Amino acid sequence: MSITKINSVTGYGRIASGKRINRAADDAAGMAIANKLKANAKSLNVATKNTREGIHVTQIADGGYDSIMDRLQSIRELAIKSMNGTNSASDRQSIQDQINQQMAGIDESARNTVYNEMKLMDGSYATVEIASNPTGKGSEIKLESARLDAIGISGFDVTGGNPDLDMIDRAIEKVSADRSALGAQANGLAARERANQIAYENMTAAQSRIEDLDMAKASSELKKDETLQSVQIAMFKKEREQESAVTKMF
């Protein structure tokens, strides 16, 4: 009788690592697929982070638009106030001073709304590319200038007593449209982020199904191998004892 050699080293190694595939010899094709899935999953993870940064850009720009819209509303109120016939020239000048402060605040918001040293609302950047997919391409954020001349209220004046309210209304309409477009882009980025997260989860799950070890099954098989080897050793020992006894008889 000979003892069948049972290699439990691989079994112990797999249980220790928790992986079914620890080297190419374990499953060359499976390892190749798992490595590809791992690379794609890591790329998706980076793309998700990029997309989240793009969302942060839109949130900061939206805060700038909110401030500008508040100031435009204040300018319109002051303009209407200046149109009252009870105002003197000095009253209208005082109102103009307040409007000038509001316009300076608009220009300041446009110049100082910044993300990572990137000025978002002064016309410096027309488009920001966001690498929102694993290929390094993906989405764009289009940014409009909110400087006074860009929204059309540079030089707005109420001291003559008959200000052009349409100028303010057009500015409000433009800022509202630009802000709505930015919101739509933010929603698109949020949808892309969710899609990336789902794809990442699916890829890591597929990788796990290929690479990871079924611990219960592996433990059971290892125990079975150990038991079989113990039985074979015991049988071999018994056989040797019987052969020795027969030899002594002669």
Side-chain angles (χ1 to χ4, degrees):
M1 177 183 177
S2 63
I3 299 178
T4 301
K5 185 177 180 181
I6 300 173
N7 184 11
S8 59
V9 174
T10 300
Y12 284 124
R14 287 175 175 173
I15 290 175
S17 68
K19 297 290 185 181
R20 185 181 69 85
I21 304 174
N22 291 297
R23 53 185 181 172
D26 294 335
D27 183 350
M31 175 171 277
I33 295 170
N35 284 338
K36 186 175 181 179
L37 287 169
K38 187 184 296 184
N40 288 338
K42 287 183 176 180
S43 296
L44 273 168
N45 196 34
V46 174
T48 299
K49 292 177 181 178
N50 290 343
T51 305
R52 196 169 296 130
E53 287 191 23
I55 293 171
H56 293 162
V57 168
T58 64
Q59 290 171 338
I60 290 172
D62 185 71
Y65 278 126
D66 188 52
S67 173
I68 289 170
M69 184 60 75
D70 285 346
R71 291 183 182 279
L72 284 172
Q73 296 289 358
S74 294
I75 290 172
R76 197 179 195 284
E77 291 172 11
L78 289 167
I80 293 173
K81 181 178 179 180
S82 73
M83 296 169 73
N84 196 14
T86 61
N87 289 316
S88 64
S90 62
D91 291 334
R92 288 194 294 272
Q93 183 57 57
S94 177
I95 292 170
Q96 181 64 46
D97 291 341
Q98 296 177 62
I99 288 174
N100 289 343
Q101 289 179 357
Q102 295 293 343
M103 289 197 296
I106 289 173
D107 216 42
E108 182 180 1
S109 291
R111 287 184 290 104
N112 295 330
T113 300
V114 177
Y115 180 83
N116 193 28
E117 301 183 2
M118 180 189 305
K119 293 188 175 184
L120 305 179
M121 304 179 69
D122 71 345
S124 298
Y125 291 87
T127 304
V128 178
E129 301 286 343
I130 303 297
S132 60
N133 65 44
T135 65
K137 300 185 182 297
S139 308
E140 290 182 346
I141 301 174
K142 295 188 180 299
L143 300 170
E144 299 290 339
S145 174
R147 299 289 299 270
L148 296 177
D149 54 349
I151 64 176
I153 62 167
S154 181
F156 181 71
D157 187 84
V158 299
T159 56
N162 189 28
D164 183 5
L165 288 180
D166 287 343
M167 182 184 290
I168 302 301
D169 289 340
R170 286 192 296 270
I172 290 173
E173 184 178 347
K174 183 182 187 319
V175 170
S176 293
D178 292 345
R179 190 177 187 184
S180 294
L182 185 70
Q185 293 172 77
N187 290 337
L189 288 169
R192 169 54 62 186
E193 181 186 19
R194 288 192 296 273
N196 283 348
Q197 288 172 334
I198 291 170
Y200 174 80
E201 290 168 4
N202 289 339
M203 282 190 181
T204 53
Q207 177 192 336
S208 176
R209 285 193 294 272
I210 293 171
E211 280 190 327
D212 290 354
L213 187 67
D214 183 335
M215 295 296 288
K217 182 179 179 182
S219 297
S220 176
E221 289 178 350
L222 183 60
K223 185 65 176 177
K224 182 177 69 175
D225 288 347
E226 290 173 341
T227 301
L228 179 58
Q229 188 159 352
S230 296
V231 169
Q232 287 183 330
I233 291 171
M235 291 176 66
F236 179 75
K237 183 178 180 181
K238 182 68 173 178
E239 186 177 295
R240 291 295 300 271
E241 289 174 351
Q242 289 174 347
E243 289 176 354
S244 178
V246 171
T247 301
K248 288 179 179 179
M249 292 176 64
F250 298 96

